[in-house]
Short mmCIF file of all heavy atoms in Angstrom, two decimals:
data_model
loop_
_atom_site.label_atom_id
_atom_site.label_comp_id
_atom_site.label_asym_id
_atom_site.label_seq_id
_atom_site.Cartn_x
_atom_site.Cartn_y
_atom_site.Cartn_z
N MET A 1 73.20 5.57 -0.43
CA MET A 1 72.20 6.09 0.42
C MET A 1 71.34 7.03 -0.42
O MET A 1 69.92 7.05 -0.28
CB MET A 1 72.88 6.90 1.64
CG MET A 1 71.94 7.58 2.49
SD MET A 1 71.23 6.32 3.68
CE MET A 1 70.49 7.45 4.81
N ASP A 2 71.77 8.01 -1.16
CA ASP A 2 70.89 8.88 -1.90
C ASP A 2 70.05 8.15 -3.00
O ASP A 2 68.92 8.48 -3.23
CB ASP A 2 71.86 9.84 -2.76
CG ASP A 2 72.58 10.95 -1.89
OD1 ASP A 2 72.08 10.98 -0.76
OD2 ASP A 2 73.53 11.60 -2.24
N LYS A 3 70.63 7.01 -3.50
CA LYS A 3 69.92 6.26 -4.56
C LYS A 3 68.64 5.56 -3.81
O LYS A 3 67.60 5.42 -4.28
CB LYS A 3 70.74 5.14 -5.14
CG LYS A 3 70.00 4.38 -6.09
CD LYS A 3 70.79 3.61 -7.04
CE LYS A 3 70.13 2.65 -8.08
NZ LYS A 3 68.84 2.70 -8.19
N GLU A 4 68.90 5.06 -2.66
CA GLU A 4 67.87 4.52 -1.78
C GLU A 4 66.66 5.56 -1.54
O GLU A 4 65.53 5.19 -1.66
CB GLU A 4 68.33 3.89 -0.44
CG GLU A 4 69.32 2.75 -0.66
CD GLU A 4 69.86 2.21 0.60
OE1 GLU A 4 69.47 2.81 1.62
OE2 GLU A 4 70.75 1.27 0.65
N ILE A 5 67.07 6.76 -1.07
CA ILE A 5 66.12 7.87 -0.81
C ILE A 5 65.43 8.12 -2.15
O ILE A 5 64.15 8.33 -2.06
CB ILE A 5 66.76 9.01 -0.29
CG1 ILE A 5 67.39 8.74 1.05
CG2 ILE A 5 65.84 10.21 -0.17
CD1 ILE A 5 68.27 9.83 1.68
N LEU A 6 66.12 8.24 -3.32
CA LEU A 6 65.48 8.59 -4.61
C LEU A 6 64.45 7.51 -4.92
O LEU A 6 63.35 7.75 -5.41
CB LEU A 6 66.53 8.68 -5.61
CG LEU A 6 66.17 9.09 -7.02
CD1 LEU A 6 65.37 10.48 -6.96
CD2 LEU A 6 67.22 9.14 -8.01
N ASP A 7 64.88 6.20 -4.69
CA ASP A 7 63.96 5.03 -5.05
C ASP A 7 62.64 5.15 -4.13
O ASP A 7 61.59 4.90 -4.54
CB ASP A 7 64.69 3.70 -4.78
CG ASP A 7 65.69 3.40 -5.89
OD1 ASP A 7 65.74 4.11 -6.88
OD2 ASP A 7 66.56 2.52 -5.68
N ILE A 8 62.86 5.42 -2.96
CA ILE A 8 61.76 5.55 -1.93
C ILE A 8 60.73 6.78 -2.40
O ILE A 8 59.64 6.51 -2.41
CB ILE A 8 62.14 5.76 -0.60
CG1 ILE A 8 62.85 4.47 -0.03
CG2 ILE A 8 61.13 6.21 0.29
CD1 ILE A 8 63.55 4.60 1.35
N LEU A 9 61.37 7.83 -2.82
CA LEU A 9 60.66 8.96 -3.30
C LEU A 9 59.79 8.62 -4.64
O LEU A 9 58.74 8.99 -4.75
CB LEU A 9 61.54 10.15 -3.51
CG LEU A 9 62.08 10.75 -2.28
CD1 LEU A 9 63.15 11.98 -2.63
CD2 LEU A 9 60.92 11.42 -1.48
N LYS A 10 60.54 7.99 -5.47
CA LYS A 10 59.76 7.42 -6.70
C LYS A 10 58.48 6.54 -6.35
O LYS A 10 57.51 6.70 -7.01
CB LYS A 10 60.68 6.81 -7.67
CG LYS A 10 61.77 7.76 -8.23
CD LYS A 10 62.74 6.91 -9.25
CE LYS A 10 63.64 7.91 -10.03
NZ LYS A 10 64.62 7.20 -10.79
N VAL A 11 58.70 5.75 -5.49
CA VAL A 11 57.66 4.73 -5.12
C VAL A 11 56.57 5.69 -4.53
O VAL A 11 55.42 5.47 -4.72
CB VAL A 11 58.26 3.75 -4.12
CG1 VAL A 11 56.98 3.03 -3.49
CG2 VAL A 11 59.02 2.79 -4.86
N MET A 12 56.90 6.57 -3.66
CA MET A 12 55.88 7.38 -3.03
C MET A 12 55.20 8.31 -4.04
O MET A 12 54.01 8.43 -4.05
CB MET A 12 56.63 8.37 -1.97
CG MET A 12 57.07 7.62 -0.72
SD MET A 12 58.04 8.61 0.45
CE MET A 12 56.79 9.90 0.84
N GLN A 13 55.92 8.63 -4.98
CA GLN A 13 55.29 9.52 -6.00
C GLN A 13 54.39 8.67 -6.90
O GLN A 13 53.19 9.10 -7.23
CB GLN A 13 56.39 10.09 -6.94
CG GLN A 13 55.72 11.01 -8.09
CD GLN A 13 56.96 11.60 -9.03
OE1 GLN A 13 57.88 10.94 -9.18
NE2 GLN A 13 56.73 12.78 -9.61
N SER A 14 54.63 7.44 -7.15
CA SER A 14 53.79 6.59 -7.96
C SER A 14 52.58 6.18 -7.14
O SER A 14 51.48 6.37 -7.59
CB SER A 14 54.57 5.28 -8.21
OG SER A 14 53.67 4.39 -8.84
N ASP A 15 52.73 6.03 -5.89
CA ASP A 15 51.54 5.76 -4.93
C ASP A 15 50.59 6.95 -4.85
O ASP A 15 49.38 6.74 -4.86
CB ASP A 15 52.22 5.42 -3.57
CG ASP A 15 52.79 3.87 -3.45
OD1 ASP A 15 52.64 3.30 -4.39
OD2 ASP A 15 53.41 3.74 -2.39
N MET A 16 51.30 8.12 -4.86
CA MET A 16 50.38 9.31 -4.78
C MET A 16 49.60 9.47 -6.04
O MET A 16 48.49 9.90 -5.92
CB MET A 16 51.25 10.64 -4.46
CG MET A 16 51.92 10.59 -3.08
SD MET A 16 52.92 12.02 -2.77
CE MET A 16 51.91 13.48 -3.03
N LYS A 17 50.14 9.21 -7.18
CA LYS A 17 49.42 9.32 -8.49
C LYS A 17 48.28 8.36 -8.49
O LYS A 17 47.21 8.56 -8.99
CB LYS A 17 50.36 9.16 -9.61
CG LYS A 17 51.35 10.38 -9.91
CD LYS A 17 52.21 10.05 -11.15
CE LYS A 17 53.12 11.30 -11.31
NZ LYS A 17 53.99 11.15 -12.48
N SER A 18 48.62 7.08 -7.98
CA SER A 18 47.54 6.10 -7.95
C SER A 18 46.36 6.58 -6.98
O SER A 18 45.21 6.37 -7.35
CB SER A 18 48.13 4.80 -7.43
OG SER A 18 47.15 3.77 -7.32
N MET A 19 46.81 7.05 -5.86
CA MET A 19 45.80 7.58 -4.96
C MET A 19 44.94 8.62 -5.58
O MET A 19 43.74 8.84 -5.21
CB MET A 19 46.52 8.10 -3.66
CG MET A 19 46.94 6.86 -2.80
SD MET A 19 47.92 7.26 -1.32
CE MET A 19 47.27 8.66 -0.67
N GLN A 20 45.54 9.55 -6.37
CA GLN A 20 44.89 10.71 -6.88
C GLN A 20 43.80 10.15 -7.91
O GLN A 20 42.70 10.64 -7.94
CB GLN A 20 45.86 11.58 -7.70
CG GLN A 20 46.62 12.57 -6.69
CD GLN A 20 47.61 13.38 -7.52
OE1 GLN A 20 48.01 12.90 -8.43
NE2 GLN A 20 48.13 14.40 -6.77
N GLY A 21 44.15 9.14 -8.61
CA GLY A 21 43.16 8.53 -9.50
C GLY A 21 42.09 7.89 -8.77
O GLY A 21 40.94 7.98 -9.13
N ASP A 22 42.44 7.30 -7.73
CA ASP A 22 41.31 6.65 -6.90
C ASP A 22 40.52 7.74 -6.15
O ASP A 22 39.13 7.51 -6.30
CB ASP A 22 41.88 5.96 -5.68
CG ASP A 22 42.72 4.60 -6.14
OD1 ASP A 22 42.46 4.15 -7.19
OD2 ASP A 22 43.38 4.15 -5.37
N ILE A 23 40.92 8.83 -5.90
CA ILE A 23 40.12 9.96 -5.40
C ILE A 23 39.19 10.47 -6.47
O ILE A 23 37.97 10.75 -6.05
CB ILE A 23 40.86 10.92 -4.78
CG1 ILE A 23 41.60 10.50 -3.51
CG2 ILE A 23 40.19 12.34 -4.52
CD1 ILE A 23 42.86 11.44 -2.96
N LYS A 24 39.67 10.67 -7.70
CA LYS A 24 38.78 11.20 -8.74
C LYS A 24 37.66 10.29 -8.99
O LYS A 24 36.52 10.48 -9.19
CB LYS A 24 39.69 11.18 -10.04
CG LYS A 24 40.56 12.50 -9.97
CD LYS A 24 41.35 12.58 -11.35
CE LYS A 24 42.36 13.76 -11.19
NZ LYS A 24 43.14 13.87 -12.51
N SER A 25 37.98 8.92 -8.89
CA SER A 25 36.94 7.77 -9.20
C SER A 25 35.90 7.92 -8.07
O SER A 25 34.73 7.75 -8.30
CB SER A 25 37.77 6.62 -9.15
OG SER A 25 36.65 5.41 -9.22
N ILE A 26 36.36 8.04 -6.84
CA ILE A 26 35.46 8.21 -5.66
C ILE A 26 34.53 9.31 -5.81
O ILE A 26 33.37 9.42 -5.54
CB ILE A 26 36.25 8.22 -4.33
CG1 ILE A 26 36.95 6.83 -4.12
CG2 ILE A 26 35.31 8.56 -3.19
CD1 ILE A 26 37.92 6.86 -2.92
N LYS A 27 35.16 10.62 -6.19
CA LYS A 27 34.41 11.73 -6.35
C LYS A 27 33.26 11.57 -7.51
O LYS A 27 32.18 12.02 -7.30
CB LYS A 27 35.33 12.96 -6.72
CG LYS A 27 36.05 13.54 -5.52
CD LYS A 27 36.99 14.70 -6.02
CE LYS A 27 37.55 15.30 -4.89
NZ LYS A 27 38.38 16.50 -5.20
N THR A 28 33.72 10.95 -8.50
CA THR A 28 32.72 10.91 -9.76
C THR A 28 31.62 9.77 -9.16
O THR A 28 30.36 10.16 -9.42
CB THR A 28 33.48 10.08 -10.77
OG1 THR A 28 34.46 10.82 -11.36
CG2 THR A 28 32.46 9.81 -11.94
N THR A 29 31.91 8.81 -8.47
CA THR A 29 30.87 7.84 -7.90
C THR A 29 30.04 8.55 -7.01
O THR A 29 28.80 8.41 -6.97
CB THR A 29 31.57 6.68 -7.21
OG1 THR A 29 32.38 6.06 -8.25
CG2 THR A 29 30.47 5.65 -6.72
N GLN A 30 30.50 9.49 -6.12
CA GLN A 30 29.82 10.22 -5.14
C GLN A 30 28.97 11.11 -5.79
O GLN A 30 27.81 11.37 -5.41
CB GLN A 30 30.79 11.01 -4.25
CG GLN A 30 30.07 11.85 -3.00
CD GLN A 30 31.07 12.45 -2.29
OE1 GLN A 30 32.15 12.81 -2.52
NE2 GLN A 30 30.63 12.69 -0.94
N GLU A 31 29.41 11.89 -6.91
CA GLU A 31 28.46 12.70 -7.60
C GLU A 31 27.33 11.92 -8.31
O GLU A 31 26.11 12.40 -8.10
CB GLU A 31 29.27 13.49 -8.69
CG GLU A 31 30.25 14.47 -8.18
CD GLU A 31 31.12 15.04 -9.16
OE1 GLU A 31 31.05 14.64 -10.39
OE2 GLU A 31 32.10 15.87 -8.79
N GLU A 32 27.60 10.81 -8.79
CA GLU A 32 26.49 10.10 -9.36
C GLU A 32 25.44 9.60 -8.28
O GLU A 32 24.27 9.66 -8.42
CB GLU A 32 27.15 8.75 -9.97
CG GLU A 32 27.86 9.13 -11.37
CD GLU A 32 28.60 7.85 -11.85
OE1 GLU A 32 28.62 6.81 -11.12
OE2 GLU A 32 29.25 7.94 -12.80
N HIS A 33 26.07 9.16 -7.17
CA HIS A 33 25.07 8.85 -6.04
C HIS A 33 24.22 9.99 -5.57
O HIS A 33 22.99 9.87 -5.28
CB HIS A 33 25.77 8.15 -4.89
CG HIS A 33 26.44 6.86 -5.06
ND1 HIS A 33 27.34 6.21 -4.29
CD2 HIS A 33 26.38 6.10 -6.23
CE1 HIS A 33 27.53 5.07 -4.70
NE2 HIS A 33 27.02 4.89 -5.96
N THR A 34 24.77 11.10 -5.52
CA THR A 34 24.13 12.41 -5.13
C THR A 34 23.02 12.67 -6.14
O THR A 34 21.88 12.90 -5.85
CB THR A 34 25.12 13.61 -5.15
OG1 THR A 34 26.07 13.35 -4.05
CG2 THR A 34 24.38 14.96 -4.76
N GLN A 35 23.31 12.52 -7.47
CA GLN A 35 22.21 12.79 -8.43
C GLN A 35 21.06 11.72 -8.25
O GLN A 35 19.90 12.08 -8.40
CB GLN A 35 22.89 12.60 -9.80
CG GLN A 35 23.75 13.80 -10.26
CD GLN A 35 24.35 13.70 -11.52
OE1 GLN A 35 24.22 12.66 -12.15
NE2 GLN A 35 25.19 14.75 -11.90
N ILE A 36 21.43 10.47 -8.09
CA ILE A 36 20.48 9.48 -7.78
C ILE A 36 19.52 9.67 -6.71
O ILE A 36 18.44 9.60 -6.80
CB ILE A 36 21.07 8.11 -7.68
CG1 ILE A 36 21.70 7.65 -9.09
CG2 ILE A 36 20.11 6.95 -7.29
CD1 ILE A 36 22.57 6.44 -9.08
N LEU A 37 20.20 10.17 -5.61
CA LEU A 37 19.47 10.38 -4.35
C LEU A 37 18.59 11.65 -4.52
O LEU A 37 17.37 11.66 -4.08
CB LEU A 37 20.39 10.67 -3.24
CG LEU A 37 21.16 9.46 -2.64
CD1 LEU A 37 22.24 9.91 -1.63
CD2 LEU A 37 20.20 8.52 -1.94
N ARG A 38 18.93 12.59 -5.22
CA ARG A 38 18.08 13.84 -5.48
C ARG A 38 16.79 13.35 -6.35
O ARG A 38 15.75 13.96 -6.18
CB ARG A 38 18.90 14.91 -6.21
CG ARG A 38 19.89 15.64 -5.35
CD ARG A 38 20.50 16.75 -5.91
NE ARG A 38 21.37 17.54 -4.94
CZ ARG A 38 22.47 17.98 -5.33
NH1 ARG A 38 22.95 18.04 -6.60
NH2 ARG A 38 23.24 18.68 -4.40
N ALA A 39 17.13 12.51 -7.37
CA ALA A 39 16.00 12.00 -8.15
C ALA A 39 15.05 11.24 -7.44
O ALA A 39 13.77 11.38 -7.57
CB ALA A 39 16.56 11.15 -9.33
N LEU A 40 15.57 10.32 -6.52
CA LEU A 40 14.74 9.70 -5.58
C LEU A 40 13.89 10.49 -4.65
O LEU A 40 12.76 10.31 -4.48
CB LEU A 40 15.52 8.59 -5.03
CG LEU A 40 16.20 7.39 -5.72
CD1 LEU A 40 17.00 6.56 -4.86
CD2 LEU A 40 14.90 6.52 -6.32
N GLU A 41 14.56 11.49 -4.18
CA GLU A 41 13.75 12.39 -3.22
C GLU A 41 12.75 13.22 -4.02
O GLU A 41 11.69 13.38 -3.51
CB GLU A 41 14.76 13.42 -2.69
CG GLU A 41 14.26 14.43 -1.66
CD GLU A 41 15.22 15.36 -1.18
OE1 GLU A 41 16.29 15.70 -1.75
OE2 GLU A 41 15.07 15.90 -0.05
N HIS A 42 13.12 13.52 -5.25
CA HIS A 42 12.07 14.34 -5.99
C HIS A 42 10.89 13.31 -6.32
O HIS A 42 9.68 13.71 -6.26
CB HIS A 42 12.62 14.73 -7.34
CG HIS A 42 11.57 15.31 -8.25
ND1 HIS A 42 10.94 16.51 -8.20
CD2 HIS A 42 11.07 14.90 -9.49
CE1 HIS A 42 10.13 16.81 -9.12
NE2 HIS A 42 10.17 15.76 -9.94
N LYS A 43 11.12 12.10 -6.69
CA LYS A 43 10.10 11.13 -7.02
C LYS A 43 9.26 10.84 -5.80
O LYS A 43 7.95 10.77 -5.80
CB LYS A 43 10.80 9.84 -7.42
CG LYS A 43 9.82 8.84 -8.00
CD LYS A 43 9.01 9.31 -9.19
CE LYS A 43 8.11 8.12 -9.76
NZ LYS A 43 7.12 8.76 -10.82
N THR A 44 9.86 10.83 -4.65
CA THR A 44 9.13 10.75 -3.35
C THR A 44 8.24 11.85 -3.17
O THR A 44 7.01 11.65 -2.76
CB THR A 44 10.11 10.49 -2.21
OG1 THR A 44 10.99 9.22 -2.50
CG2 THR A 44 9.40 10.30 -0.89
N ASP A 45 8.72 12.96 -3.26
CA ASP A 45 7.79 14.24 -3.18
C ASP A 45 6.59 14.06 -4.16
O ASP A 45 5.46 14.43 -3.75
CB ASP A 45 8.57 15.39 -3.42
CG ASP A 45 9.65 15.68 -2.28
OD1 ASP A 45 9.49 15.18 -1.31
OD2 ASP A 45 10.59 16.55 -2.59
N VAL A 46 6.91 13.72 -5.47
CA VAL A 46 5.79 13.63 -6.38
C VAL A 46 4.74 12.56 -5.93
O VAL A 46 3.61 12.84 -6.02
CB VAL A 46 6.37 13.29 -7.84
CG1 VAL A 46 5.30 12.93 -8.69
CG2 VAL A 46 7.27 14.39 -8.31
N ILE A 47 5.19 11.44 -5.52
CA ILE A 47 4.27 10.48 -4.95
C ILE A 47 3.57 10.93 -3.81
O ILE A 47 2.33 10.61 -3.84
CB ILE A 47 5.08 9.07 -4.77
CG1 ILE A 47 5.73 8.49 -5.97
CG2 ILE A 47 4.32 8.16 -3.85
CD1 ILE A 47 6.58 7.33 -5.93
N SER A 48 4.20 11.58 -2.99
CA SER A 48 3.48 12.10 -1.75
C SER A 48 2.42 13.05 -2.22
O SER A 48 1.23 13.04 -1.59
CB SER A 48 4.48 12.74 -0.87
OG SER A 48 5.25 11.85 -0.27
N ALA A 49 2.62 13.93 -3.13
CA ALA A 49 1.73 14.93 -3.58
C ALA A 49 0.46 14.05 -4.31
O ALA A 49 -0.74 14.43 -4.07
CB ALA A 49 2.33 15.90 -4.48
N GLU A 50 0.88 13.20 -5.10
CA GLU A 50 -0.20 12.35 -5.73
C GLU A 50 -1.06 11.68 -4.71
O GLU A 50 -2.20 11.45 -4.92
CB GLU A 50 0.54 11.39 -6.77
CG GLU A 50 1.08 12.04 -7.95
CD GLU A 50 1.78 11.05 -8.80
OE1 GLU A 50 2.10 9.94 -8.48
OE2 GLU A 50 2.15 11.54 -9.99
N GLN A 51 -0.44 11.08 -3.74
CA GLN A 51 -1.23 10.35 -2.68
C GLN A 51 -2.13 11.37 -2.06
O GLN A 51 -3.24 10.91 -1.65
CB GLN A 51 -0.20 9.72 -1.74
CG GLN A 51 -0.79 8.81 -0.64
CD GLN A 51 0.38 8.25 0.10
OE1 GLN A 51 1.34 8.93 0.46
NE2 GLN A 51 0.18 6.95 0.60
N GLU A 52 -1.68 12.55 -1.64
CA GLU A 52 -2.51 13.51 -1.06
C GLU A 52 -3.69 13.90 -1.87
O GLU A 52 -4.84 14.07 -1.41
CB GLU A 52 -1.64 14.80 -0.71
CG GLU A 52 -2.35 15.76 0.26
CD GLU A 52 -2.58 15.10 1.68
OE1 GLU A 52 -1.82 14.21 2.05
OE2 GLU A 52 -3.50 15.64 2.24
N ASN A 53 -3.34 14.09 -3.21
CA ASN A 53 -4.51 14.37 -4.14
C ASN A 53 -5.57 13.20 -4.16
O ASN A 53 -6.71 13.46 -4.09
CB ASN A 53 -4.10 14.62 -5.50
CG ASN A 53 -3.25 15.97 -5.62
OD1 ASN A 53 -3.56 16.87 -4.89
ND2 ASN A 53 -2.37 16.09 -6.71
N LEU A 54 -5.14 12.02 -4.24
CA LEU A 54 -6.00 10.91 -4.36
C LEU A 54 -6.88 10.80 -2.84
O LEU A 54 -8.10 10.46 -3.00
CB LEU A 54 -5.33 9.53 -4.30
CG LEU A 54 -4.68 9.28 -5.69
CD1 LEU A 54 -3.80 8.05 -5.60
CD2 LEU A 54 -5.76 8.98 -6.68
N LYS A 55 -6.23 11.10 -1.77
CA LYS A 55 -6.87 11.21 -0.43
C LYS A 55 -8.09 12.24 -0.58
O LYS A 55 -9.23 11.82 -0.27
CB LYS A 55 -5.94 11.53 0.63
CG LYS A 55 -6.66 11.50 1.98
CD LYS A 55 -5.56 11.58 3.09
CE LYS A 55 -5.27 13.03 3.25
NZ LYS A 55 -4.41 13.35 4.52
N HIS A 56 -7.83 13.39 -1.21
CA HIS A 56 -8.80 14.47 -1.25
C HIS A 56 -9.87 13.94 -2.23
O HIS A 56 -11.09 14.24 -1.94
CB HIS A 56 -8.22 15.69 -1.81
CG HIS A 56 -7.50 16.46 -0.73
ND1 HIS A 56 -8.11 17.11 0.22
CD2 HIS A 56 -6.05 16.47 -0.41
CE1 HIS A 56 -7.14 17.69 1.07
NE2 HIS A 56 -5.93 17.22 0.63
N GLU A 57 -9.48 13.24 -3.29
CA GLU A 57 -10.52 12.80 -4.28
C GLU A 57 -11.45 11.68 -3.51
O GLU A 57 -12.67 11.72 -3.79
CB GLU A 57 -9.79 12.21 -5.51
CG GLU A 57 -9.29 13.25 -6.32
CD GLU A 57 -8.54 12.78 -7.72
OE1 GLU A 57 -8.82 11.54 -7.81
OE2 GLU A 57 -7.73 13.46 -8.28
N VAL A 58 -10.94 10.81 -2.77
CA VAL A 58 -11.67 9.88 -2.11
C VAL A 58 -12.62 10.48 -1.15
O VAL A 58 -13.82 10.09 -1.05
CB VAL A 58 -10.74 8.82 -1.40
CG1 VAL A 58 -11.52 7.86 -0.50
CG2 VAL A 58 -10.00 7.99 -2.44
N PHE A 59 -12.08 11.38 -0.42
CA PHE A 59 -13.02 12.08 0.62
C PHE A 59 -14.19 12.85 -0.26
O PHE A 59 -15.28 12.80 0.31
CB PHE A 59 -12.25 13.07 1.39
CG PHE A 59 -11.42 12.53 2.50
CD1 PHE A 59 -10.17 12.99 2.88
CD2 PHE A 59 -11.98 11.39 3.22
CE1 PHE A 59 -9.51 12.36 3.93
CE2 PHE A 59 -11.26 10.98 4.37
CZ PHE A 59 -10.06 11.32 4.67
N GLU A 60 -13.82 13.49 -1.24
CA GLU A 60 -14.93 14.19 -2.04
C GLU A 60 -16.02 13.28 -2.58
O GLU A 60 -17.03 13.55 -2.49
CB GLU A 60 -14.40 15.07 -3.18
CG GLU A 60 -13.40 16.17 -2.62
CD GLU A 60 -12.81 17.00 -3.72
OE1 GLU A 60 -12.90 16.69 -4.92
OE2 GLU A 60 -12.04 17.93 -3.42
N THR A 61 -15.46 12.04 -3.04
CA THR A 61 -16.33 11.05 -3.63
C THR A 61 -17.25 10.44 -2.63
O THR A 61 -18.44 10.29 -2.79
CB THR A 61 -15.53 9.95 -4.12
OG1 THR A 61 -14.66 10.43 -5.27
CG2 THR A 61 -16.37 8.77 -4.82
N LYS A 62 -16.77 10.37 -1.33
CA LYS A 62 -17.52 9.84 -0.15
C LYS A 62 -18.41 10.92 0.49
O LYS A 62 -19.25 10.65 1.23
CB LYS A 62 -16.73 9.20 0.77
CG LYS A 62 -16.04 7.92 0.24
CD LYS A 62 -15.54 7.17 1.37
CE LYS A 62 -15.00 5.79 0.92
NZ LYS A 62 -14.65 4.85 1.97
N GLY A 63 -18.17 12.16 -0.01
CA GLY A 63 -18.95 13.18 0.58
C GLY A 63 -18.50 13.97 1.79
O GLY A 63 -19.18 14.51 2.52
N TYR A 64 -17.33 13.53 2.25
CA TYR A 64 -16.68 14.21 3.41
C TYR A 64 -16.20 15.52 3.09
O TYR A 64 -15.73 15.88 2.02
CB TYR A 64 -15.59 13.34 3.94
CG TYR A 64 -15.95 11.97 4.38
CD1 TYR A 64 -15.22 10.80 3.94
CD2 TYR A 64 -17.00 11.65 5.26
CE1 TYR A 64 -15.54 9.55 4.27
CE2 TYR A 64 -17.32 10.35 5.57
CZ TYR A 64 -16.59 9.25 5.04
OH TYR A 64 -16.98 8.07 5.45
N LYS A 65 -16.26 16.34 4.16
CA LYS A 65 -15.63 17.67 4.04
C LYS A 65 -14.25 17.70 4.62
O LYS A 65 -13.89 17.05 5.58
CB LYS A 65 -16.43 18.66 4.81
CG LYS A 65 -17.91 19.00 4.22
CD LYS A 65 -18.46 20.21 4.93
CE LYS A 65 -19.78 20.51 4.34
NZ LYS A 65 -20.38 21.74 4.82
N ILE A 66 -13.38 18.38 3.74
CA ILE A 66 -11.96 18.40 4.18
C ILE A 66 -11.63 19.84 4.55
O ILE A 66 -11.94 20.79 4.04
CB ILE A 66 -11.10 18.08 2.91
CG1 ILE A 66 -11.31 16.76 2.48
CG2 ILE A 66 -9.58 18.28 3.35
CD1 ILE A 66 -10.67 16.52 1.17
N ASN A 67 -11.15 19.85 5.82
CA ASN A 67 -10.77 21.18 6.44
C ASN A 67 -9.42 21.83 5.94
O ASN A 67 -8.55 20.90 5.82
CB ASN A 67 -10.69 21.20 7.93
CG ASN A 67 -11.95 20.89 8.59
OD1 ASN A 67 -13.07 21.29 8.06
ND2 ASN A 67 -12.10 20.20 9.68
N GLY A 68 -9.36 22.90 5.58
CA GLY A 68 -8.15 23.37 5.09
C GLY A 68 -8.07 23.50 3.57
O GLY A 68 -7.42 23.79 2.77
#
């Protein structure tokens, strides 16, 4: 009986070590995705600012007044 319990505990320990490795992998992937999302968000902000500048330039070229 004690040997069976010991064997079960060894299997559980092995499974837990495997799960810890999986968790580390998931955390690494999550951190990479977070960095990518932040870079995309920054790029979107840059594009929006450039688009707004172009809009002002078009209005100025056509002679329209821009409020603000």
Side-chain angles (χ1 to χ4, degrees):
M1 177 84 167
D2 288 343
K3 180 164 178 9
E4 290 174 7
I5 293 173
L6 183 60
D7 289 341
I8 291 170
L9 289 174
K10 285 180 181 179
V11 169
M12 288 175 63
Q13 183 181 29
S14 174
D15 289 346
M16 287 176 61
K17 285 182 181 180
S18 176
M19 287 172 34
Q20 286 174 338
D22 291 344
I23 290 170
K24 285 180 184 178
S25 174
I26 290 169
K27 283 183 179 181
T28 300
T29 302
Q30 185 180 24
E31 289 170 5
E32 290 171 355
H33 288 173
T34 298
Q35 290 175 355
I36 290 169
L37 287 172
R38 285 184 180 149
L40 289 172
E41 183 178 24
H42 174 72
K43 186 64 175 174
T44 300
D45 291 343
V46 169
I47 290 170
S48 293
E50 290 173 349
Q51 188 178 34
E52 192 65 27
N53 286 338
L54 285 172
K55 184 171 83 174
H56 285 277
E57 288 177 15
V58 167
F59 280 143
E60 289 175 6
T61 301
K62 289 190 173 192
Y64 298 128
K65 290 190 176 184
I66 300 172
N67 294 331

